[in-house]
Amino acid sequence: MGGMDGREHVRVAVIGSGFGGLGAAVRLRREGITDFVVLERAGSVGGTWRDNSYPGCACDVPSHLYSFSFAPNPDWPRTFSGQPAIRAYLEHVADTFGLRPHIRLDCEVRMMRWNADELHWEIETSAGELTADVVVSATGPLSDPKMPQVPGLDTFPGKVFHSARWDHDYDLRGKRVAMIGTGASAIQIVPAIAPDVERLTLFQRTPPWVMPRTDRAISTAERWLHRQLPFTRAARRGLLWGIRELQVSAFTKRPNQLGLIESLAKANMARSIKDPQLRAELTPSYRIGCKRILLSSEYYPALARPNVDLVASGLSEVRGSTLVAADGTETEVDAVIFGTGFHVTDMPIADRVVGAGGVTLADAWKGGMQALRGATAAGFPNWMTIIGPNTGLGNSSMILMIESQLNYMADYLRQLDVLGGRAALAARPSAVGAWNRRVQARMERTVWNTGGCTSWYLDPNGRNTTVWPGTTGEFRRETRSVDLAEYEVVRIRERERERGRGQDRIAAEAAVPAAAGHAAAAPVEEGAA
């Protein structure tokens, strides 16, 4: 529908078409809301599962748990499915729930500004402008790659790319390749490319804890059973969820209980790494769980290959085609692959959101990200985020957290309906502060804060603004409904009243000529109602 100024106007604008954005779109339709758009900067849906197409890319959460409860998939090919299957699942969701007409591809959001007079968001995109009553930002924390500033990198004569922007046109076979980083992407890439390259050098700043990944193909019989008897599929999902819920207390309250898991991780390493020196370089000095526990049964065997070298030091400098590590080690390579993560605690979308006071979300979050129940920020009415601050997980499926936030989004919109008229909900700074203090107080005893590591969970101030310090069930209870006491209701009643007075005045003035010549006609006073 069109706005008064000729621009397209929608009730809800969703930003991004990954799990969060598509989930929001499905929930909107299920709530009976069809006046919405999904704005996607790329040419297809899928979010991080579209962008990350590197060799070996797969999920480290079991497939039956890493899927929407409202869109179960009985035909997952593996217990831990790969990127192609997950991306195909998201395409299937878009088709099954009739989302295509709402999705605007190649439509990057450049700026969003809150109009306090009209109580709506003005959105500038690469494909034009529109306005929306409510914005749901589902850009996700794993959407913008982080490239380190390495002296001399711009002079490197070979190929350079990030794991999330894989160059499929570049043939790695027979090349000398450097892998920078040892995170979740790197431990999948290393085993996938090691058999093909001439030499692979892994630059490791901090070693990860790696547990075996018990992946296997899901049999035809299992798939048939899940299709014919849906309760078996639900039971499988419930079991996977329950096991992970029971693990949470060790991460959040009793990190010392994780010592047994460390022993299992060391045994996993010892099975493949026989060299004592290499084992020592691969053994972390921090408590397991402080950084995300990685799953792989191929990583350590790959590092034991004769054409794979480990440099137990971060990349410090590039001199032509030579990479220099912080410990002085020099390695000549043809290609450099960065597996250095994403902008998580400094999401670029925050620079493109201008709130009620003319302040960007990035400026509002300079001291650290914080949002009421992980969804709404003070000073940004009718704006909410999916996978917001302190909604991440260290041991379970983010889809569970997304669905909880979709519950909150749905009730937020219901509350606006109940309020009626032109209204907005603005999170009270006191409520945002209280929620954040509560979360941070609980964070103090968690393994993420006490485990002795520096992880991407922490912002530059050392605060953990990423992870949720509780169970997914608890988060679902916290986001079941909107508490209006935590919000200020913003209206434009006074402005509407003034506009009404102006319209009455115009009508009265127009009536004067018709009354001319009548002795009983009274003059129209300025401002008469």
Side-chain angles (χ1 to χ4, degrees), residues 16-86:
S17 68
F19 267 100
L22 294 182
V26 172
R27 188 57 185 269
L28 289 171
R29 286 187 63 90
R30 295 177 74 186
E31 292 290 320
I33 299 172
T34 58
D35 183 18
F36 71 90
V37 293
V38 179
L39 307 177
E40 168 57 55
R41 66 183 177 184
S44 60
V45 303
T48 192
W49 292 106
R50 174 201 58 235
D51 296 340
N52 287 271
S53 59
Y54 57 80
C57 183
C59 189
D60 59 1
V61 175
S63 301
H64 284 89
L65 192 59
Y66 198 79
S67 48
F68 291 121
S69 64
F70 53 78
N73 179 16
D75 291 314
W76 285 115
R78 305 191 65 84
T79 52
F80 292 86
S81 292
Q83 177 265 347
I86 298 173

Side-chain angles (χ1 to χ4, degrees), residues 363-402:
D363 284 336
W365 280 353
K366 270 187 176 177
M369 298 190 304
Q370 52 180 313
L372 178 59
R373 303 183 188 276
T376 56
F380 299 83
N382 280 12
W383 180 92
M384 61 173 50
T385 181
I386 307 296
I387 315 183
N390 291 113
T391 61
L393 295 175
N395 75 314
S396 192
S397 172
M398 278 306 301
I399 313 306
L400 301 170
M401 302 296 278
I402 288 172

Side-chain angles (χ1 to χ4, degrees), residues 411-430:
D411 196 56
Y412 189 103
L413 293 168
R414 289 189 210 112
Q415 296 295 339
L416 287 174
D417 284 342
V418 170
L419 289 170
R422 295 302 302 272
L425 290 176
R428 296 183 183 275
S430 58

Side-chain angles (χ1 to χ4, degrees), residues 331-471:
T331 307
E332 190 168 354
V333 298
D334 304 306
V336 182
I337 303 169
F338 283 92
T340 45
F342 300 85
H343 289 275
V344 176
T345 61
D346 57 341
M347 293 186 290
I349 191 67
D351 287 309
R352 307 181 185 191
V353 184
V354 181
V359 177
T360 66
L361 186 62
D363 284 336
W365 280 353
K366 270 187 176 177
M369 298 190 304
Q370 52 180 313
L372 178 59
R373 303 183 188 276
T376 56
F380 299 83
N382 280 12
W383 180 92
M384 61 173 50
T385 181
I386 307 296
I387 315 183
N390 291 113
T391 61
L393 295 175
N395 75 314
S396 192
S397 172
M398 278 306 301
I399 313 306
L400 301 170
M401 302 296 278
I402 288 172
E403 289 197 30
S404 293
Q405 292 201 288
L406 298 183
N407 290 341
Y408 195 76
M409 176 198 75
D411 196 56
Y412 189 103
L413 293 168
R414 289 189 210 112
Q415 296 295 339
L416 287 174
D417 284 342
V418 170
L419 289 170
R422 295 302 302 272
L425 290 176
R428 296 183 183 275
S430 58
V432 177
W435 173 263
N436 189 61
R437 286 191 296 273
R438 175 182 161 195
V439 169
Q440 292 302 321
R442 294 181 58 182
M443 200 69 72
E444 290 178 0
R445 60 193 296 190
T446 67
V447 68
W448 307 301
N449 281 37
T450 65
C453 73
T454 300
S455 73
W456 56 267
Y457 297 150
L458 308 180
D459 68 13
N461 301 312
R463 293 173 62 251
N464 190 327
T465 58
T466 306
V467 186
W468 168 246
T471 65

Side-chain angles (χ1 to χ4, degrees), residues 3 11 49 74 81 119 218 245 258 266 307 316 362 405 411 429 436 442 448:
R11 186 179 181 196
W49 292 106
S81 292
L119 293 193
I218 298 178
E245 291 291 273
L258 294 167
K266 289 178 180 178
N307 69 325
S316 175
Q405 292 201 288
D411 196 56
N436 189 61
R442 294 181 58 182
W448 307 301

Side-chain angles (χ1 to χ4, degrees), residues 176-507:
R176 299 166 299 174
V177 180
M179 181 77 225
I180 313 301
T182 52
S185 299
I187 70 159
Q188 294 178 345
I189 294 170
V190 168
I193 68 173
D196 298 325
V197 302
E198 176 187 324
R199 188 143 215 94
L200 176 59
T201 304
L202 176 64
F203 284 74
Q204 170 191 273
R205 188 174 58 182
T206 308
W209 285 106
V210 182
M211 294 287 288
R213 185 166 174 262
T214 54
D215 183 33
R216 64 172 179 82
I218 298 178
S219 68
T220 302
E222 287 176 277
R223 298 189 209 180
W224 179 88
L225 188 66
H226 291 333
R227 282 195 302 270
Q228 300 301 317
L229 300 174
F231 76 87
T232 62
R233 185 181 60 223
R236 184 175 192 158
R237 179 183 174 92
L239 179 62
L240 292 169
W241 169 78
I243 291 172
R244 282 156 180 76
E245 291 291 273
L246 293 174
Q247 297 171 347
V248 170
S249 64
F251 288 84
T252 60
K253 298 177 182 178
R254 291 176 282 275
N256 289 335
Q257 292 182 350
L258 294 167
L260 174 61
I261 309 300
E262 283 185 10
S263 299
L264 296 175
K266 289 178 180 178
N268 178 45
M269 183 196 307
R271 279 191 289 270
S272 301
I273 305 299
K274 304 305 180 183
D275 180 355
Q277 180 180 347
L278 182 56
R279 253 201 327 266
E281 292 173 337
L282 292 171
T283 302
S285 59
Y286 55 87
R287 174 63 76 188
I288 193 169
C290 184
K291 291 175 177 282
R292 187 175 180 93
I293 300 173
L294 306 182
L295 302 181
S296 176
S297 298
E298 294 82 31
Y299 179 63
Y300 289 135
L303 293 182
R305 292 177 59 93
N307 69 325
V308 177
D309 298 316
L310 176 74
V311 175
S313 181
L315 177 61
S316 175
E317 183 184 356
V318 177
R319 299 173 188 160
S321 59
T322 301
L323 273 57
V324 183
D327 65 0
T329 302
E330 296 187 1
T331 307
E332 190 168 354
V333 298
D334 304 306
V336 182
I337 303 169
F338 283 92
T340 45
F342 300 85
H343 289 275
V344 176
T345 61
D346 57 341
M347 293 186 290
I349 191 67
D351 287 309
R352 307 181 185 191
V353 184
V354 181
V359 177
T360 66
L361 186 62
D363 284 336
W365 280 353
K366 270 187 176 177
M369 298 190 304
Q370 52 180 313
L372 178 59
R373 303 183 188 276
T376 56
F380 299 83
N382 280 12
W383 180 92
M384 61 173 50
T385 181
I386 307 296
I387 315 183
N390 291 113
T391 61
L393 295 175
N395 75 314
S396 192
S397 172
M398 278 306 301
I399 313 306
L400 301 170
M401 302 296 278
I402 288 172
E403 289 197 30
S404 293
Q405 292 201 288
L406 298 183
N407 290 341
Y408 195 76
M409 176 198 75
D411 196 56
Y412 189 103
L413 293 168
R414 289 189 210 112
Q415 296 295 339
L416 287 174
D417 284 342
V418 170
L419 289 170
R422 295 302 302 272
L425 290 176
R428 296 183 183 275
S430 58
V432 177
W435 173 263
N436 189 61
R437 286 191 296 273
R438 175 182 161 195
V439 169
Q440 292 302 321
R442 294 181 58 182
M443 200 69 72
E444 290 178 0
R445 60 193 296 190
T446 67
V447 68
W448 307 301
N449 281 37
T450 65
C453 73
T454 300
S455 73
W456 56 267
Y457 297 150
L458 308 180
D459 68 13
N461 301 312
R463 293 173 62 251
N464 190 327
T465 58
T466 306
V467 186
W468 168 246
T471 65
T472 63
E474 182 182 5
F475 187 76
R476 177 149 297 196
R477 291 190 294 274
E478 294 282 6
T479 53
R480 182 173 290 126
S481 60
V482 170
D483 181 359
L484 283 181
E486 295 180 328
Y487 289 87
E488 176 187 356
V489 178
V490 183
R491 292 191 181 275
I492 53 174
R493 286 176 176 172
E494 188 59 35
R495 190 172 183 278
E496 288 176 341
R497 185 180 299 117
E498 290 299 324
R499 182 184 296 163
R501 288 172 179 167
Q503 290 173 343
D504 288 346
R505 182 175 68 248
I506 293 171

